[in-house]
Amino acid sequence: LASVQPPAPGRRPILIDDACRLLGKAKQTVYALACRGEIPNYKQGRTVYFFEDELLDAVSYTHLRAHETSAHL
């Protein structure tokens, strides 16, 4: 069994409503992004949660990749 590491000090999980506000996306969209593995997410029981810093990193990376791709067209 892999051990689960506790979050680093100062990191706290956020739930779907906070993730939606942070990303400016609808709940259905955030769930779809999480399901496809496009944003990092965690499940405990039926609850899906996120870490703010990971969401911001994922969005920044995706935005940067999209910008690089369009620059090469």
Short mmCIF file of all heavy atoms in Angstrom, two decimals:
data_model
loop_
_atom_site.label_atom_id
_atom_site.label_comp_id
_atom_site.label_asym_id
_atom_site.label_seq_id
_atom_site.Cartn_x
_atom_site.Cartn_y
_atom_site.Cartn_z
N LEU A 1 0.83 -1.19 0.00
CA LEU A 1 0.00 0.00 0.00
C LEU A 1 0.86 1.24 0.00
O LEU A 1 1.82 1.34 0.76
CB LEU A 1 -0.88 0.03 1.25
CG LEU A 1 -2.01 -0.98 1.33
CD1 LEU A 1 -2.65 -0.92 2.70
CD2 LEU A 1 -3.01 -0.74 0.26
N ALA A 2 0.53 2.18 -0.83
CA ALA A 2 1.26 3.44 -0.85
C ALA A 2 0.80 4.30 0.32
O ALA A 2 -0.37 4.34 0.66
CB ALA A 2 0.99 4.17 -2.16
N SER A 3 1.76 4.93 0.95
CA SER A 3 1.38 5.79 2.07
C SER A 3 0.91 7.13 1.54
O SER A 3 1.44 7.64 0.55
CB SER A 3 2.54 5.98 3.03
OG SER A 3 3.58 6.67 2.39
N VAL A 4 -0.08 7.67 2.17
CA VAL A 4 -0.62 8.97 1.79
C VAL A 4 0.10 10.03 2.61
O VAL A 4 0.14 9.95 3.84
CB VAL A 4 -2.14 9.03 2.04
CG1 VAL A 4 -2.67 10.42 1.74
CG2 VAL A 4 -2.86 7.99 1.23
N GLN A 5 0.70 10.97 1.92
CA GLN A 5 1.43 12.03 2.60
C GLN A 5 0.46 13.13 3.01
O GLN A 5 -0.40 13.52 2.22
CB GLN A 5 2.50 12.62 1.66
CG GLN A 5 3.55 11.62 1.25
CD GLN A 5 4.38 11.14 2.42
OE1 GLN A 5 4.74 11.90 3.30
NE2 GLN A 5 4.64 9.84 2.46
N PRO A 6 0.59 13.63 4.22
CA PRO A 6 -0.26 14.76 4.61
C PRO A 6 0.13 16.00 3.81
O PRO A 6 1.26 16.10 3.35
CB PRO A 6 0.05 14.94 6.10
CG PRO A 6 1.39 14.34 6.28
CD PRO A 6 1.52 13.25 5.26
N PRO A 7 -0.80 16.92 3.62
CA PRO A 7 -0.47 18.12 2.86
C PRO A 7 0.60 18.93 3.59
O PRO A 7 0.73 18.87 4.80
CB PRO A 7 -1.79 18.90 2.79
CG PRO A 7 -2.65 18.30 3.83
CD PRO A 7 -2.17 16.92 4.09
N ALA A 8 1.38 19.65 2.80
CA ALA A 8 2.42 20.51 3.37
C ALA A 8 1.76 21.57 4.24
O ALA A 8 0.60 21.94 4.02
CB ALA A 8 3.21 21.17 2.25
N PRO A 9 2.49 22.07 5.24
CA PRO A 9 1.91 23.13 6.09
C PRO A 9 1.44 24.31 5.24
O PRO A 9 2.11 24.71 4.30
CB PRO A 9 3.08 23.54 6.98
CG PRO A 9 4.00 22.37 6.96
CD PRO A 9 3.83 21.71 5.62
N GLY A 10 0.27 24.80 5.55
CA GLY A 10 -0.28 25.93 4.80
C GLY A 10 -1.14 25.51 3.61
O GLY A 10 -1.84 26.33 3.05
N ARG A 11 -1.06 24.26 3.21
CA ARG A 11 -1.91 23.78 2.11
C ARG A 11 -3.16 23.19 2.70
O ARG A 11 -3.12 22.41 3.63
CB ARG A 11 -1.20 22.68 1.31
CG ARG A 11 -0.11 23.21 0.41
CD ARG A 11 0.46 22.10 -0.42
NE ARG A 11 -0.46 21.79 -1.50
CZ ARG A 11 -0.48 20.63 -2.12
NH1 ARG A 11 0.31 19.66 -1.77
NH2 ARG A 11 -1.32 20.42 -3.12
N ARG A 12 -4.27 23.56 2.14
CA ARG A 12 -5.51 22.97 2.59
C ARG A 12 -6.33 22.58 1.38
O ARG A 12 -6.29 23.25 0.35
CB ARG A 12 -6.29 23.94 3.49
CG ARG A 12 -6.82 25.15 2.79
CD ARG A 12 -7.65 26.02 3.72
NE ARG A 12 -8.16 27.15 2.97
CZ ARG A 12 -9.28 27.16 2.26
NH1 ARG A 12 -10.03 26.09 2.21
NH2 ARG A 12 -9.65 28.24 1.61
N PRO A 13 -7.06 21.50 1.50
CA PRO A 13 -7.89 21.09 0.37
C PRO A 13 -9.07 22.04 0.20
O PRO A 13 -9.55 22.63 1.17
CB PRO A 13 -8.37 19.70 0.77
CG PRO A 13 -8.24 19.64 2.24
CD PRO A 13 -7.14 20.59 2.62
N ILE A 14 -9.48 22.22 -1.04
CA ILE A 14 -10.68 23.01 -1.33
C ILE A 14 -11.68 22.09 -2.03
O ILE A 14 -11.29 21.15 -2.71
CB ILE A 14 -10.39 24.27 -2.17
CG1 ILE A 14 -9.77 23.92 -3.53
CG2 ILE A 14 -9.50 25.23 -1.40
CD1 ILE A 14 -9.61 25.10 -4.46
N LEU A 15 -12.94 22.39 -1.85
CA LEU A 15 -14.00 21.59 -2.44
C LEU A 15 -14.40 22.17 -3.80
O LEU A 15 -13.89 23.20 -4.23
CB LEU A 15 -15.19 21.51 -1.49
CG LEU A 15 -14.87 20.83 -0.15
CD1 LEU A 15 -16.09 20.87 0.76
CD2 LEU A 15 -14.40 19.40 -0.36
N ILE A 16 -15.32 21.52 -4.44
CA ILE A 16 -15.71 21.85 -5.81
C ILE A 16 -16.17 23.30 -5.97
O ILE A 16 -15.79 23.95 -6.94
CB ILE A 16 -16.78 20.85 -6.33
CG1 ILE A 16 -17.06 21.05 -7.82
CG2 ILE A 16 -18.06 20.94 -5.53
CD1 ILE A 16 -15.95 20.63 -8.73
N ASP A 17 -16.95 23.83 -5.04
CA ASP A 17 -17.44 25.21 -5.19
C ASP A 17 -16.30 26.22 -5.21
O ASP A 17 -16.30 27.15 -6.02
CB ASP A 17 -18.44 25.55 -4.09
CG ASP A 17 -19.76 24.79 -4.24
OD1 ASP A 17 -20.12 24.45 -5.39
OD2 ASP A 17 -20.41 24.54 -3.22
N ASP A 18 -15.30 26.02 -4.34
CA ASP A 18 -14.15 26.92 -4.33
C ASP A 18 -13.31 26.73 -5.59
O ASP A 18 -12.77 27.70 -6.13
CB ASP A 18 -13.29 26.68 -3.08
CG ASP A 18 -13.99 27.14 -1.82
OD1 ASP A 18 -14.75 28.12 -1.87
OD2 ASP A 18 -13.76 26.51 -0.77
N ALA A 19 -13.19 25.50 -6.06
CA ALA A 19 -12.44 25.24 -7.29
C ALA A 19 -13.12 25.94 -8.47
O ALA A 19 -12.45 26.52 -9.33
CB ALA A 19 -12.33 23.75 -7.54
N CYS A 20 -14.45 25.92 -8.51
CA CYS A 20 -15.20 26.58 -9.58
C CYS A 20 -14.95 28.09 -9.56
O CYS A 20 -14.72 28.70 -10.61
CB CYS A 20 -16.70 26.31 -9.43
SG CYS A 20 -17.16 24.61 -9.74
N ARG A 21 -14.99 28.68 -8.38
CA ARG A 21 -14.73 30.12 -8.26
C ARG A 21 -13.30 30.44 -8.68
O ARG A 21 -13.06 31.41 -9.40
CB ARG A 21 -14.97 30.60 -6.83
CG ARG A 21 -16.43 30.85 -6.51
CD ARG A 21 -16.61 31.58 -5.19
NE ARG A 21 -16.34 30.73 -4.05
CZ ARG A 21 -17.19 29.86 -3.54
NH1 ARG A 21 -18.38 29.74 -4.08
NH2 ARG A 21 -16.87 29.11 -2.51
N LEU A 22 -12.36 29.63 -8.26
CA LEU A 22 -10.95 29.85 -8.58
C LEU A 22 -10.70 29.78 -10.08
O LEU A 22 -9.98 30.60 -10.64
CB LEU A 22 -10.09 28.81 -7.85
CG LEU A 22 -8.59 28.90 -8.05
CD1 LEU A 22 -8.05 30.16 -7.37
CD2 LEU A 22 -7.91 27.68 -7.49
N LEU A 23 -11.32 28.81 -10.73
CA LEU A 23 -11.11 28.60 -12.17
C LEU A 23 -12.06 29.40 -13.05
O LEU A 23 -11.85 29.50 -14.26
CB LEU A 23 -11.23 27.11 -12.50
CG LEU A 23 -10.23 26.19 -11.79
CD1 LEU A 23 -10.56 24.73 -12.11
CD2 LEU A 23 -8.81 26.54 -12.19
N GLY A 24 -13.14 29.91 -12.45
CA GLY A 24 -14.13 30.63 -13.24
C GLY A 24 -14.90 29.71 -14.16
O GLY A 24 -15.29 30.09 -15.27
N LYS A 25 -15.11 28.48 -13.72
CA LYS A 25 -15.80 27.47 -14.53
C LYS A 25 -17.01 26.93 -13.78
O LYS A 25 -17.08 26.98 -12.56
CB LYS A 25 -14.87 26.30 -14.84
CG LYS A 25 -13.59 26.66 -15.54
CD LYS A 25 -13.84 26.98 -16.97
CE LYS A 25 -12.54 27.26 -17.70
NZ LYS A 25 -12.76 27.88 -18.98
N ALA A 26 -17.95 26.38 -14.54
CA ALA A 26 -19.13 25.75 -13.96
C ALA A 26 -18.74 24.43 -13.29
O ALA A 26 -17.74 23.81 -13.65
CB ALA A 26 -20.18 25.49 -15.04
N LYS A 27 -19.55 24.01 -12.35
CA LYS A 27 -19.29 22.77 -11.60
C LYS A 27 -19.16 21.58 -12.55
O LYS A 27 -18.25 20.75 -12.41
CB LYS A 27 -20.43 22.53 -10.61
CG LYS A 27 -20.10 21.54 -9.53
CD LYS A 27 -21.24 21.37 -8.54
CE LYS A 27 -21.31 22.54 -7.58
NZ LYS A 27 -22.20 22.28 -6.43
N GLN A 28 -20.03 21.48 -13.53
CA GLN A 28 -19.99 20.37 -14.49
C GLN A 28 -18.66 20.37 -15.24
O GLN A 28 -18.07 19.31 -15.49
CB GLN A 28 -21.17 20.49 -15.46
CG GLN A 28 -21.23 19.40 -16.48
CD GLN A 28 -22.45 19.54 -17.39
OE1 GLN A 28 -23.30 20.39 -17.19
NE2 GLN A 28 -22.52 18.71 -18.40
N THR A 29 -18.16 21.55 -15.61
CA THR A 29 -16.89 21.65 -16.34
C THR A 29 -15.72 21.21 -15.47
O THR A 29 -14.85 20.47 -15.92
CB THR A 29 -16.68 23.10 -16.82
OG1 THR A 29 -17.78 23.48 -17.65
CG2 THR A 29 -15.38 23.24 -17.59
N VAL A 30 -15.70 21.64 -14.21
CA VAL A 30 -14.62 21.27 -13.30
C VAL A 30 -14.63 19.76 -13.07
O VAL A 30 -13.58 19.11 -13.10
CB VAL A 30 -14.70 22.06 -11.98
CG1 VAL A 30 -13.66 21.56 -10.98
CG2 VAL A 30 -14.50 23.54 -12.24
N TYR A 31 -15.81 19.17 -12.88
CA TYR A 31 -15.89 17.72 -12.72
C TYR A 31 -15.38 17.01 -13.98
O TYR A 31 -14.67 16.01 -13.89
CB TYR A 31 -17.33 17.27 -12.44
CG TYR A 31 -17.74 17.38 -11.00
CD1 TYR A 31 -18.92 18.04 -10.64
CD2 TYR A 31 -16.99 16.80 -9.98
CE1 TYR A 31 -19.31 18.13 -9.31
CE2 TYR A 31 -17.38 16.88 -8.65
CZ TYR A 31 -18.54 17.55 -8.33
OH TYR A 31 -18.92 17.63 -7.02
N ALA A 32 -15.73 17.52 -15.16
CA ALA A 32 -15.28 16.90 -16.41
C ALA A 32 -13.76 17.00 -16.55
O ALA A 32 -13.10 16.03 -16.94
CB ALA A 32 -15.97 17.57 -17.61
N LEU A 33 -13.19 18.16 -16.22
CA LEU A 33 -11.72 18.33 -16.28
C LEU A 33 -11.04 17.36 -15.32
O LEU A 33 -10.02 16.76 -15.65
CB LEU A 33 -11.34 19.77 -15.94
CG LEU A 33 -11.74 20.84 -16.97
CD1 LEU A 33 -11.53 22.23 -16.37
CD2 LEU A 33 -10.95 20.67 -18.25
N ALA A 34 -11.60 17.20 -14.14
CA ALA A 34 -11.04 16.29 -13.14
C ALA A 34 -11.15 14.84 -13.63
O ALA A 34 -10.19 14.06 -13.53
CB ALA A 34 -11.75 16.46 -11.80
N CYS A 35 -12.28 14.48 -14.18
CA CYS A 35 -12.52 13.12 -14.66
C CYS A 35 -11.54 12.75 -15.78
O CYS A 35 -11.04 11.63 -15.84
CB CYS A 35 -13.96 12.98 -15.14
SG CYS A 35 -14.40 11.33 -15.64
N ARG A 36 -11.25 13.71 -16.65
CA ARG A 36 -10.32 13.48 -17.77
C ARG A 36 -8.86 13.59 -17.33
O ARG A 36 -7.96 13.38 -18.14
CB ARG A 36 -10.59 14.48 -18.89
CG ARG A 36 -11.91 14.26 -19.60
CD ARG A 36 -12.01 15.04 -20.90
NE ARG A 36 -11.76 16.45 -20.76
CZ ARG A 36 -12.70 17.40 -20.72
NH1 ARG A 36 -13.97 17.06 -20.80
NH2 ARG A 36 -12.38 18.68 -20.60
N GLY A 37 -8.64 13.95 -16.08
CA GLY A 37 -7.26 14.06 -15.59
C GLY A 37 -6.56 15.34 -16.01
O GLY A 37 -5.34 15.43 -15.94
N GLU A 38 -7.32 16.33 -16.46
CA GLU A 38 -6.73 17.58 -16.91
C GLU A 38 -6.39 18.52 -15.76
O GLU A 38 -5.60 19.44 -15.95
CB GLU A 38 -7.65 18.26 -17.92
CG GLU A 38 -7.80 17.45 -19.19
CD GLU A 38 -8.68 18.11 -20.22
OE1 GLU A 38 -8.74 19.35 -20.27
OE2 GLU A 38 -9.32 17.37 -20.99
N ILE A 39 -7.01 18.29 -14.61
CA ILE A 39 -6.65 19.04 -13.41
C ILE A 39 -6.48 18.04 -12.27
O ILE A 39 -7.19 17.04 -12.21
CB ILE A 39 -7.70 20.13 -13.04
CG1 ILE A 39 -9.09 19.53 -12.85
CG2 ILE A 39 -7.71 21.26 -14.06
CD1 ILE A 39 -10.12 20.51 -12.33
N PRO A 40 -5.50 18.28 -11.40
CA PRO A 40 -5.28 17.34 -10.30
C PRO A 40 -6.43 17.37 -9.31
O PRO A 40 -6.97 18.44 -9.01
CB PRO A 40 -3.98 17.84 -9.66
CG PRO A 40 -3.80 19.24 -10.12
CD PRO A 40 -4.55 19.39 -11.40
N ASN A 41 -6.83 16.20 -8.85
CA ASN A 41 -7.94 16.09 -7.91
C ASN A 41 -7.77 14.85 -7.07
O ASN A 41 -7.00 13.95 -7.41
CB ASN A 41 -9.28 16.08 -8.66
CG ASN A 41 -9.41 14.87 -9.54
OD1 ASN A 41 -9.95 13.86 -9.12
ND2 ASN A 41 -8.91 14.94 -10.77
N TYR A 42 -8.48 14.82 -5.98
CA TYR A 42 -8.40 13.72 -5.03
C TYR A 42 -9.80 13.36 -4.59
O TYR A 42 -10.68 14.21 -4.58
CB TYR A 42 -7.56 14.12 -3.81
CG TYR A 42 -6.20 14.63 -4.22
CD1 TYR A 42 -6.00 15.97 -4.54
CD2 TYR A 42 -5.12 13.75 -4.33
CE1 TYR A 42 -4.76 16.42 -4.95
CE2 TYR A 42 -3.87 14.21 -4.72
CZ TYR A 42 -3.71 15.55 -5.04
OH TYR A 42 -2.48 16.00 -5.45
N LYS A 43 -10.01 12.11 -4.24
CA LYS A 43 -11.32 11.67 -3.76
C LYS A 43 -11.16 11.02 -2.40
O LYS A 43 -10.22 10.26 -2.17
CB LYS A 43 -11.92 10.64 -4.72
CG LYS A 43 -12.77 11.24 -5.79
CD LYS A 43 -13.44 10.17 -6.58
CE LYS A 43 -14.86 10.01 -6.09
NZ LYS A 43 -15.69 9.21 -6.94
N GLN A 44 -12.08 11.34 -1.55
CA GLN A 44 -12.20 10.65 -0.27
C GLN A 44 -13.67 10.29 -0.15
O GLN A 44 -14.52 11.17 0.04
CB GLN A 44 -11.75 11.53 0.88
CG GLN A 44 -11.75 10.79 2.19
CD GLN A 44 -11.05 11.56 3.29
OE1 GLN A 44 -10.68 12.71 3.12
NE2 GLN A 44 -10.88 10.93 4.42
N GLY A 45 -13.96 9.03 -0.31
CA GLY A 45 -15.36 8.62 -0.37
C GLY A 45 -15.96 9.18 -1.65
O GLY A 45 -15.42 9.02 -2.72
N ARG A 46 -17.06 9.89 -1.50
CA ARG A 46 -17.71 10.52 -2.66
C ARG A 46 -17.31 11.98 -2.82
O ARG A 46 -17.79 12.65 -3.74
CB ARG A 46 -19.22 10.41 -2.50
CG ARG A 46 -19.70 8.96 -2.57
CD ARG A 46 -21.17 8.88 -2.59
NE ARG A 46 -21.69 9.67 -3.72
CZ ARG A 46 -22.95 9.76 -4.06
NH1 ARG A 46 -23.84 9.12 -3.36
NH2 ARG A 46 -23.33 10.49 -5.06
N THR A 47 -16.45 12.47 -1.96
CA THR A 47 -16.06 13.88 -2.00
C THR A 47 -14.81 14.06 -2.86
O THR A 47 -13.79 13.41 -2.65
CB THR A 47 -15.78 14.41 -0.58
OG1 THR A 47 -16.94 14.21 0.22
CG2 THR A 47 -15.42 15.88 -0.60
N VAL A 48 -14.91 14.95 -3.84
CA VAL A 48 -13.77 15.31 -4.67
C VAL A 48 -13.21 16.62 -4.11
O VAL A 48 -13.95 17.55 -3.83
CB VAL A 48 -14.18 15.52 -6.15
CG1 VAL A 48 -13.00 15.96 -7.00
CG2 VAL A 48 -14.81 14.25 -6.70
N TYR A 49 -11.90 16.66 -3.96
CA TYR A 49 -11.29 17.90 -3.50
C TYR A 49 -10.01 18.19 -4.28
O TYR A 49 -9.52 17.35 -5.03
CB TYR A 49 -11.05 17.88 -1.98
CG TYR A 49 -10.07 16.84 -1.49
CD1 TYR A 49 -8.74 17.17 -1.28
CD2 TYR A 49 -10.48 15.55 -1.22
CE1 TYR A 49 -7.84 16.23 -0.82
CE2 TYR A 49 -9.59 14.61 -0.75
CZ TYR A 49 -8.27 14.95 -0.55
OH TYR A 49 -7.38 14.02 -0.09
N PHE A 50 -9.53 19.39 -4.13
CA PHE A 50 -8.42 19.91 -4.91
C PHE A 50 -7.51 20.69 -3.97
O PHE A 50 -7.90 21.06 -2.87
CB PHE A 50 -8.94 20.88 -5.99
CG PHE A 50 -10.06 20.32 -6.82
CD1 PHE A 50 -11.38 20.43 -6.39
CD2 PHE A 50 -9.81 19.70 -8.02
CE1 PHE A 50 -12.43 19.91 -7.14
CE2 PHE A 50 -10.85 19.18 -8.78
CZ PHE A 50 -12.16 19.29 -8.34
N PHE A 51 -6.30 20.98 -4.45
CA PHE A 51 -5.42 21.91 -3.76
C PHE A 51 -5.24 23.12 -4.67
O PHE A 51 -4.96 22.98 -5.87
CB PHE A 51 -4.06 21.28 -3.44
CG PHE A 51 -4.14 20.28 -2.32
CD1 PHE A 51 -4.16 18.93 -2.57
CD2 PHE A 51 -4.21 20.72 -1.01
CE1 PHE A 51 -4.24 18.01 -1.53
CE2 PHE A 51 -4.30 19.81 0.04
CZ PHE A 51 -4.31 18.46 -0.23
N GLU A 52 -5.43 24.31 -4.12
CA GLU A 52 -5.42 25.55 -4.90
C GLU A 52 -4.14 25.69 -5.71
O GLU A 52 -4.18 26.01 -6.89
CB GLU A 52 -5.60 26.74 -3.95
CG GLU A 52 -5.65 28.06 -4.67
CD GLU A 52 -5.93 29.22 -3.73
OE1 GLU A 52 -6.32 29.00 -2.57
OE2 GLU A 52 -5.76 30.36 -4.18
N ASP A 53 -2.98 25.46 -5.08
CA ASP A 53 -1.72 25.65 -5.80
C ASP A 53 -1.60 24.70 -6.99
O ASP A 53 -1.11 25.08 -8.05
CB ASP A 53 -0.52 25.52 -4.86
CG ASP A 53 -0.43 24.15 -4.20
OD1 ASP A 53 -1.47 23.54 -3.92
OD2 ASP A 53 0.71 23.70 -3.95
N GLU A 54 -2.09 23.48 -6.85
CA GLU A 54 -2.04 22.53 -7.96
C GLU A 54 -2.96 22.95 -9.10
O GLU A 54 -2.60 22.81 -10.27
CB GLU A 54 -2.41 21.13 -7.48
CG GLU A 54 -1.39 20.51 -6.56
CD GLU A 54 -1.77 19.12 -6.10
OE1 GLU A 54 -2.92 18.67 -6.31
OE2 GLU A 54 -0.89 18.48 -5.51
N LEU A 55 -4.14 23.47 -8.76
CA LEU A 55 -5.05 23.94 -9.81
C LEU A 55 -4.44 25.11 -10.57
O LEU A 55 -4.48 25.15 -11.80
CB LEU A 55 -6.39 24.38 -9.21
CG LEU A 55 -7.31 23.27 -8.72
CD1 LEU A 55 -8.58 23.86 -8.13
CD2 LEU A 55 -7.65 22.30 -9.83
N LEU A 56 -3.87 26.05 -9.83
CA LEU A 56 -3.26 27.21 -10.48
C LEU A 56 -2.08 26.80 -11.35
O LEU A 56 -1.92 27.31 -12.46
CB LEU A 56 -2.82 28.23 -9.43
CG LEU A 56 -3.97 28.89 -8.66
CD1 LEU A 56 -3.43 29.77 -7.54
CD2 LEU A 56 -4.88 29.68 -9.59
N ASP A 57 -1.28 25.85 -10.88
CA ASP A 57 -0.16 25.35 -11.69
C ASP A 57 -0.67 24.67 -12.96
O ASP A 57 -0.14 24.88 -14.04
CB ASP A 57 0.69 24.37 -10.89
CG ASP A 57 1.54 25.04 -9.84
OD1 ASP A 57 1.69 26.29 -9.86
OD2 ASP A 57 2.06 24.31 -8.96
N ALA A 58 -1.71 23.86 -12.83
CA ALA A 58 -2.26 23.14 -13.98
C ALA A 58 -2.83 24.10 -15.01
O ALA A 58 -2.63 23.94 -16.21
CB ALA A 58 -3.33 22.14 -13.53
N VAL A 59 -3.54 25.12 -14.54
CA VAL A 59 -4.13 26.10 -15.45
C VAL A 59 -3.03 26.91 -16.13
O VAL A 59 -3.08 27.14 -17.33
CB VAL A 59 -5.12 27.02 -14.69
CG1 VAL A 59 -5.54 28.18 -15.55
CG2 VAL A 59 -6.32 26.21 -14.24
N SER A 60 -2.01 27.30 -15.40
CA SER A 60 -0.89 28.05 -15.98
C SER A 60 -0.19 27.22 -17.03
O SER A 60 0.13 27.70 -18.11
CB SER A 60 0.11 28.45 -14.90
OG SER A 60 -0.48 29.34 -14.00
N TYR A 61 0.05 25.94 -16.73
CA TYR A 61 0.72 25.05 -17.68
C TYR A 61 -0.12 24.87 -18.94
O TYR A 61 0.39 24.96 -20.05
CB TYR A 61 0.99 23.69 -17.02
CG TYR A 61 1.59 22.68 -17.96
CD1 TYR A 61 2.93 22.74 -18.30
CD2 TYR A 61 0.79 21.68 -18.53
CE1 TYR A 61 3.48 21.82 -19.18
CE2 TYR A 61 1.35 20.76 -19.40
CZ TYR A 61 2.68 20.83 -19.72
OH TYR A 61 3.22 19.93 -20.59
N THR A 62 -1.41 24.64 -18.77
CA THR A 62 -2.31 24.45 -19.92
C THR A 62 -2.36 25.71 -20.77
O THR A 62 -2.30 25.65 -22.00
CB THR A 62 -3.73 24.07 -19.44
OG1 THR A 62 -3.63 22.89 -18.66
CG2 THR A 62 -4.67 23.84 -20.60
N HIS A 63 -2.44 26.87 -20.12
CA HIS A 63 -2.48 28.15 -20.84
C HIS A 63 -1.18 28.37 -21.61
O HIS A 63 -1.18 28.77 -22.76
CB HIS A 63 -2.73 29.30 -19.86
CG HIS A 63 -2.74 30.64 -20.51
ND1 HIS A 63 -3.77 31.05 -21.33
CD2 HIS A 63 -1.85 31.65 -20.50
CE1 HIS A 63 -3.50 32.27 -21.79
NE2 HIS A 63 -2.34 32.64 -21.29
N LEU A 64 -0.05 28.07 -20.97
CA LEU A 64 1.25 28.23 -21.61
C LEU A 64 1.37 27.30 -22.81
O LEU A 64 1.82 27.72 -23.88
CB LEU A 64 2.37 27.93 -20.60
CG LEU A 64 3.80 28.01 -21.12
CD1 LEU A 64 4.11 29.43 -21.59
CD2 LEU A 64 4.78 27.59 -20.05
N ARG A 65 0.95 26.04 -22.67
CA ARG A 65 1.03 25.08 -23.78
C ARG A 65 0.14 25.52 -24.94
O ARG A 65 0.53 25.41 -26.09
CB ARG A 65 0.61 23.68 -23.31
CG ARG A 65 1.52 23.06 -22.29
CD ARG A 65 2.76 22.47 -22.88
NE ARG A 65 2.37 21.40 -23.77
CZ ARG A 65 3.10 21.02 -24.82
NH1 ARG A 65 4.22 21.59 -25.09
NH2 ARG A 65 2.69 20.05 -25.60
N ALA A 66 -1.05 26.03 -24.64
CA ALA A 66 -1.95 26.50 -25.69
C ALA A 66 -1.33 27.69 -26.43
O ALA A 66 -1.41 27.78 -27.66
CB ALA A 66 -3.31 26.88 -25.11
N HIS A 67 -0.69 28.58 -25.69
CA HIS A 67 -0.05 29.74 -26.28
C HIS A 67 1.12 29.31 -27.17
O HIS A 67 1.29 29.83 -28.27
CB HIS A 67 0.43 30.70 -25.18
CG HIS A 67 1.10 31.93 -25.71
ND1 HIS A 67 0.42 32.89 -26.40
CD2 HIS A 67 2.39 32.32 -25.67
CE1 HIS A 67 1.26 33.84 -26.76
NE2 HIS A 67 2.47 33.51 -26.33
N GLU A 68 1.92 28.35 -26.71
CA GLU A 68 3.04 27.87 -27.50
C GLU A 68 2.56 27.20 -28.78
O GLU A 68 3.14 27.39 -29.85
CB GLU A 68 3.87 26.85 -26.69
CG GLU A 68 4.68 27.48 -25.58
CD GLU A 68 5.38 26.44 -24.73
OE1 GLU A 68 5.12 25.22 -24.91
OE2 GLU A 68 6.17 26.84 -23.87
N THR A 69 1.50 26.42 -28.68
CA THR A 69 0.95 25.73 -29.85
C THR A 69 0.44 26.74 -30.88
O THR A 69 0.72 26.61 -32.07
CB THR A 69 -0.18 24.78 -29.43
OG1 THR A 69 0.35 23.86 -28.48
CG2 THR A 69 -0.73 24.02 -30.63
N SER A 70 -0.29 27.76 -30.44
CA SER A 70 -0.83 28.74 -31.38
C SER A 70 0.28 29.60 -31.98
O SER A 70 0.16 30.07 -33.09
CB SER A 70 -1.89 29.62 -30.70
OG SER A 70 -1.31 30.40 -29.69
N ALA A 71 1.39 29.78 -31.29
CA ALA A 71 2.51 30.57 -31.81
C ALA A 71 3.21 29.84 -32.95
O ALA A 71 3.84 30.46 -33.79
CB ALA A 71 3.51 30.88 -30.68
N HIS A 72 3.09 28.51 -32.98
CA HIS A 72 3.75 27.72 -34.01
C HIS A 72 2.88 27.54 -35.25
O HIS A 72 3.31 26.94 -36.21
CB HIS A 72 4.14 26.34 -33.47
CG HIS A 72 5.29 26.41 -32.53
ND1 HIS A 72 5.14 26.65 -31.18
CD2 HIS A 72 6.63 26.30 -32.74
CE1 HIS A 72 6.31 26.66 -30.61
NE2 HIS A 72 7.24 26.46 -31.53
N LEU A 73 1.67 28.03 -35.25
CA LEU A 73 0.77 27.88 -36.40
C LEU A 73 1.05 28.89 -37.47
O LEU A 73 1.53 29.89 -37.41
CB LEU A 73 -0.70 27.97 -35.95
CG LEU A 73 -1.16 26.87 -35.02
CD1 LEU A 73 -2.61 27.11 -34.63
CD2 LEU A 73 -1.03 25.51 -35.69
#
